């Protein structure tokens, strides 16, 4: 099939590089435009990017010339890894001009008409795009966001438990340094240390989780009615965000039943057949000291959420740990999977993908 051309905003940064790495060899998409800062514009990508991932930039991208942020773009599909301030207006301008924009940036996530999409959890929220286009007068453009990277393991782990009724949630994160971008946190602050504060993330965990686990009523997203309290910390780990979760459920399922729910859970069609979807979106690890970032972050190519240490909580009822790869599942990988869902559902004008499963 003819691959769809895509552009990457913020292509020289840490998440932009992860987009490039994950899109190399993608069956549907190919990188044709890279966008960077003013100081990078006009340079070959290989010269402009300080590559921090393993190996080197793919040759197909290394030779591309970096475009300025305000440059005209030809690609129908755009992935955004922009900083919040740069993303705020530019993403909406590009969507207004007819592009499909899948963003990892936080700037527009909580707009009422922007889906905060994680396909296994809330693929039905894609219908909000019809509201977005109607209200904004867009015919072919759209803006779709994925959540803060630390929210990902939380909502993935909670989705199979919604049937029990989630009342209250207490979260304590241990977040990898790659979540701060590059060069990120100073080595003098991070080595032999833990920082008990990650700017902005606690509020995101408390609001984004409710939006993602809520429901679409035909006109907007009704957030899940639960109380959430979050504490976010930065730890000296390169990749992988671990969240310690305590949850109160309306019903009182037995611990083995919850573990069975996690192991058996799969999203509705066509999500499991998307190219980036892992065979097992969740895995439960029986070892008492798992999950661990170094050992478990690459599960499912970095797209599987690992859960462990389920036990009784004397305050809320249940507690466990959940881990996701923050720059794969929590960032670029989720945006790519969102775009795959859009393609299957026919939201990308002029681009059609053969469906192997019944649409949502």
């Amino acid at each position: 099939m003819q691959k769809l051309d895509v552009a990457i905003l913020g292509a020289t940064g840490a998440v932009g590089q992860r987009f490039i790495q994950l899109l190399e060899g993608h069956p549907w998409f190919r990188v044709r435009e890279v966008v960077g800062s003013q100081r990078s514009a006009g340079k070959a990508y290989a010269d402009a990017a300080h590559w921090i991932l393993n190996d080197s930039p793919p040759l197909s991208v290394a030779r591309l010339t970096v475009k300025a942020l305000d440059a005209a773009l030809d690609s129908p599909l755009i992935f955004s890894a922009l900083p919040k301030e740069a993303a705020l207006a530019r993403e909406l301008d590009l969507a207004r001009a007819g592009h499909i924009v899948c963003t990892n940036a936080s700037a527009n996530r909580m707009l009422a008409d922007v889906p905060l999409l994680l396909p296994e959890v809330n693929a039905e929220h894609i219908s909000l795009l019809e509201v977005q286009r109607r209200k904004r007068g867009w015919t072919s453009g759209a803006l779709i966001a994925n959540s803060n990277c630390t929210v990902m393991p939380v909502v993935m782990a909670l989705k199979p438990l919604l049937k029990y009724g989630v009342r209250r949630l207490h979260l304590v994160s241990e977040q990898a340094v790659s979540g701060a971008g590059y060069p990120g946190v100073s080595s003098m602050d991070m080595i032999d240390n833990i920082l008990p504060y990650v700017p902005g993330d606690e509020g995101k965990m408390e609001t984004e989780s409710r939006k993602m686990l809520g429901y679409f009523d035909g006109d907007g997203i009704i957030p899940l009615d639960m109380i959430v309290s979050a504490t976010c910390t930065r730890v000296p780990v390169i990749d992988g965000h671990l969240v310690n979760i305590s949850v109160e459920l309306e019903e009182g399922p037995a611990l083995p039943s919850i573990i069975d729910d996690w192991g058996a859970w799969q999203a509705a069609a066509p999500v499991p057949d998307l190219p980036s979807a892992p065979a097992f979106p969740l895995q439960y690890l029986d070892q008492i000291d798992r999950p661990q970032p170094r050992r478990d972050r690459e599960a499912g190519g970095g797209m599987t959420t690992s859960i462990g240490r389920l036990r009784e909580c004397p305050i809320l009822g249940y507690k466990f740990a959940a881990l996701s790869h923050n720059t794969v599942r929590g960032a670029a990988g989720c945006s790519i999977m969102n775009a795959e869902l859009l393609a299957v559902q026919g939201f990308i004008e002029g681009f059609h993908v053969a469906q192997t499963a019944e649409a949502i």
Side-chain angles (χ1 to χ4, degrees):
M1 62 177 287
Q2 180 69 32
K3 293 187 179 183
L4 184 71
D5 289 347
V6 308
I8 301 174
L9 309 181
T12 60
V15 174
Q17 292 179 27
R18 188 67 78 180
F19 272 116
I20 289 169
Q21 182 188 64
L22 294 177
L23 286 167
E24 178 67 8
H26 192 280
W28 299 351
F29 308 141
R30 60 182 176 186
V31 179
R32 280 293 177 265
E33 296 174 292
V34 287
V35 177
S37 64
Q38 203 61 44
R39 67 176 181 276
S40 299
K43 298 179 181 178
Y45 180 80
D47 296 329
H50 176 67
W51 191 258
I52 62 173
L53 303 179
N54 293 336
D55 300 319
S56 300
L59 288 178
S60 59
V61 177
R63 297 166 180 165
L64 294 177
T65 300
V66 178
K67 294 186 175 183
L69 183 57
D70 59 356
L73 300 177
D74 298 319
S75 300
L77 175 60
I78 296 173
F79 294 110
S80 174
L82 290 173
K84 179 178 181 179
E85 295 75 17
L88 192 61
R90 187 56 175 152
E91 291 177 353
L92 290 167
D93 288 343
L94 288 166
R96 188 179 300 109
H99 299 277
I100 300 293
V101 182
C102 292
T103 179
N104 180 72
S106 65
N108 297 304
R109 279 180 194 152
M110 295 304 291
L111 294 180
D113 62 351
V114 173
L116 193 54
L117 197 62
L118 176 54
E120 291 100 335
V121 170
N122 60 357
E124 67 278 7
H125 288 195
I126 199 172
S127 298
L128 185 60
L129 291 182
E130 297 170 1
V131 176
Q132 181 185 98
R133 286 175 168 176
R134 183 177 70 249
K135 289 185 174 180
R136 294 179 180 267
W138 299 346
T139 56
S140 57
L143 177 60
I144 306 92
N146 54 271
S147 75
N148 174 269
C149 49
T150 321
V151 178
M152 291 284 183
V154 177
V155 297
M156 288 288 287
L158 288 180
K159 177 64 175 181
L161 309 185
L162 291 183
K163 63 183 180 181
Y164 300 120
V166 179
R167 287 179 172 173
R168 292 188 294 169
L169 200 61
H170 182 253
L171 311 171
V172 179
S173 73
E174 298 172 89
Q175 298 175 220
V177 293
S178 59
Y182 186 88
V185 184
S186 165
S187 61
M188 287 292 290
D189 290 328
M190 202 70 263
I191 294 175
D192 189 33
N193 204 17
I194 292 175
L195 301 180
Y197 172 63
V198 180
D201 278 14
E202 292 171 354
K204 294 172 186 175
M205 292 185 74
E206 293 170 357
T207 57
E208 293 179 18
S209 58
R210 296 181 63 238
K211 180 175 180 178
M212 295 176 76
L213 292 170
Y215 67 94
F216 177 63
D217 71 349
D219 191 54
I221 304 299
I222 307 301
L224 181 65
D225 183 16
M226 68 174 176
I227 299 171
V228 188
S229 175
T231 297
C232 295
T233 71
R234 186 80 68 192
V235 298
V237 170
I238 295 174
D239 290 312
H241 286 356
L242 180 70
V243 185
N244 292 290
I245 301 170
S246 294
V247 59
E248 180 183 30
L249 303 175
E250 292 179 12
E251 298 182 22
L255 300 184
S257 296
I258 292 176
I259 294 173
D260 289 344
D261 289 334
W262 284 327
W265 182 65
Q266 280 283 356
V271 174
D273 294 320
L274 298 176
S276 297
F280 301 98
L282 300 175
Q283 66 170 356
Y284 185 82
L285 303 172
D286 292 319
Q287 300 94 320
I288 193 62
D289 60 351
R290 301 283 280 275
Q292 299 176 14
R294 183 160 56 88
R295 290 184 168 89
D296 301 312
R297 62 193 171 208
E298 298 294 342
M303 294 292 282
T304 292
T305 296
S306 299
I307 305 171
R309 300 210 66 212
L310 176 65
R311 58 212 191 276
E312 293 181 354
C313 172
I315 298 176
L316 295 183
Y318 305 88
K319 55 185 175 181
F320 57 91
L323 170 80
S324 288
H325 194 304
N326 55 296
T327 65
V328 180
R329 168 54 90 174
C334 185
S335 282
I336 293 170
M337 197 169 167
N338 287 347
E340 293 165 357
L341 181 62
L342 291 167
V344 168
Q345 297 291 74
F347 280 94
I348 304 178
E349 188 173 303
F351 183 69
H352 303 284
V353 177
Q355 298 187 38
T356 59
E358 182 182 352
I360 295 168

